[in-house]
Amino acid sequence: MALPDFKKITQDKNVVPEWAVHLKEGEYISYSTTYKSKIYFDLFDLYSYPCAETGDIRYYVYDPVKHGADPKKKYPVLMWLHGASNSLMGEGCIMCCGAEQYASPKYQQKMGGAYIIVPLANETRTDDGQIHGAWDKVHSAPIKAIYDKVCKDHEDNIGKRFVMGASSGGYFTWQLLEDYCGYFDGAIPISSGYIPADDALDRIEESGTSLLIAHGKHDEMALFSECVEPRREKLMKLRSCICFFPEWVYNGDGGVSSVFYGFEMGQHCMINWVQNDLMFDDGRAADDRLPDGVTGWIRSVCE
């Protein structure tokens, strides 16, 4: 489907989503995230990886040691994978993919420090709004090579390895888990329209990778009834896996999330809540199994 050009279109906060008819008494719509964005971009360094198959791949790296972390310690590496069209925003992709807040002093302290990698697919948009060059199988080897390079460049400080992404990035998270089974210690596929076959899930489970799978039941783009429900029983049985399938995706203020840029996708944008650490602003956790949010989950996998 055609995707909106976020550089040219502003969010319409007057639209009432179709799913609003299902809200219960006391529930309300929230049109904005409550965390501050576009304030940590300068903490990331830009690099380029040569790749004949896809064209050179730009990627951003946050180095905790460079920004004051103990140079004698080891830190997890988090790769955040953006959704379709987000690479067209350049450094803004750091925000859209979910990575920005995890470079903040607050989140770094909560995790005990972490490296962050944000690769950008070489996407293009045609006049009719179609996106070409989004994450696909061809990206698997070069993105793994970028991960390996960052780990090698900082080998004395590298700890557990994580990969996470939403929407198209959620699909590609699963793709990397299938292609490099056992390489990652933890993964967070979010709002993905794709889930691997049972045999692939079995291999991922046996490899020991910890999973946090997040998908809202009112997702407007990757429909829960089609993408998750048929596989739900299998996913729920996976060891070392938390299936976070909330009725509603919220913003930090406790309102049900609406994001409208030509069409509604607030419930698909689970990544905004993840960037709020799956916590509410009043300190409540989104799920009792995640009492300290995503940052706490990452820290627990590293222990």
Side-chain angles (χ1 to χ4, degrees):
M1 69 182 294
L3 293 173
D5 186 342
F6 298 108
K7 290 184 177 180
K8 297 180 179 179
I9 303 175
T10 57
Q11 181 180 357
D12 188 340
K13 298 182 179 181
N14 297 311
V15 173
V16 178
E18 292 183 4
W19 44 251
V21 298
H22 301 293
L23 295 177
K24 297 179 181 178
E25 184 177 355
E27 293 178 325
Y28 61 94
I29 298 172
S30 173
Y31 293 95
S32 300
T33 59
T34 55
Y35 52 83
K36 294 182 179 180
S37 299
K38 304 178 182 179
I39 59 176
Y40 298 116
F41 292 169
D42 61 348
L43 298 179
F44 290 80
D45 297 309
L46 176 62
Y47 299 89
S48 180
Y49 183 82
C51 182
E53 292 80 11
T54 67
D56 294 355
I57 299 174
R58 296 164 293 160
Y59 64 101
Y60 292 90
V61 176
Y62 171 85
D63 177 351
V65 175
K66 178 180 177 179
H67 295 287
D70 189 340
K72 297 180 181 178
K73 291 186 177 181
K74 294 186 180 297
Y75 304 97
V77 183
L78 319 178
M79 176 174 274
W80 292 85
L81 301 167
H82 63 76
S85 84
N86 288 166
S87 71
L88 300 174
M89 301 183 72
E91 69 174 3
C93 187
I94 297 171
M95 170 191 66
C96 293
C97 76
E100 184 185 11
Q101 298 303 310
Y102 289 80
S104 70
K106 178 182 177 181
Y107 283 29
Q108 285 287 308
Q109 181 179 20
K110 292 175 72 173
M111 293 184 292
Y115 285 89
I116 302 174
I117 310 171
V118 180
L120 275 61
N122 290 318
E123 296 175 311
T124 58
R125 182 196 304 277
T126 55
D127 292 340
D128 61 359
Q130 299 294 323
I131 300 299
H132 299 275
W135 297 126
D136 204 347
K137 174 76 171 177
V138 68
H139 294 95
S140 188
I143 293 303
K144 165 65 160 46
I146 288 173
Y147 207 114
D148 287 338
K149 185 178 188 308
V150 173
C151 290
K152 180 175 176 53
D153 290 346
H154 305 278
E155 57 186 347
D156 291 340
N157 299 110
I158 298 301
K160 296 293 182 71
R161 298 183 295 268
F162 293 79
V163 62
M164 49 270 281
S167 194
S168 173
Y171 142 70
F172 197 50
T173 295
W174 283 121
Q175 183 69 67
L176 290 173
L177 291 176
E178 289 187 79
D179 291 345
Y180 303 103
C181 192
Y183 179 83
F184 297 100
D185 299 289
I188 312 179
I190 305 163
S191 305
S192 174
Y194 169 79
I195 295 174
D198 284 1
D199 61 337
L201 289 176
D202 289 340
R203 287 190 293 108
I204 294 168
E205 178 183 41
E206 291 302 318
S207 76
T209 300
S210 295
L211 294 171
L212 170 54
I213 306 172
H215 203 119
K217 293 181 179 177
H218 290 269
D219 191 312
E220 305 93 346
M221 300 177 72
L223 301 181
F224 190 87
S225 60
E226 297 178 5
C227 299
V228 179
E229 192 60 55
R231 313 298 308 287
R232 184 175 183 175
E233 183 177 355
K234 175 66 175 180
L235 295 173
M236 298 284 286
K237 290 181 178 179
L238 296 175
R239 300 189 302 273
S240 301
C241 176
I242 294 176
C243 290
F244 177 64
F245 301 148
E247 186 68 24
W248 295 109
V249 172
Y250 292 93
N251 284 324
D253 59 6
V256 179
S257 175
S258 170
V259 177
F260 191 95
Y261 287 87
F263 56 85
E264 180 60 49
M265 53 183 172
Q267 295 300 292
H268 182 62
C269 291
M270 171 78 77
I271 193 62
N272 289 346
W273 202 9
V274 170
Q275 197 156 198
N276 211 64
D277 206 15
L278 287 183
M279 302 287 290
F280 291 101
D281 294 344
D282 62 8
R284 290 179 295 126
D287 191 296
D288 290 341
R289 296 168 297 174
L290 300 165
D292 299 310
V294 177
T295 53
W297 178 82
I298 291 170
R299 191 157 189 161
S300 70
V301 173
C302 293
E303 291 175 348

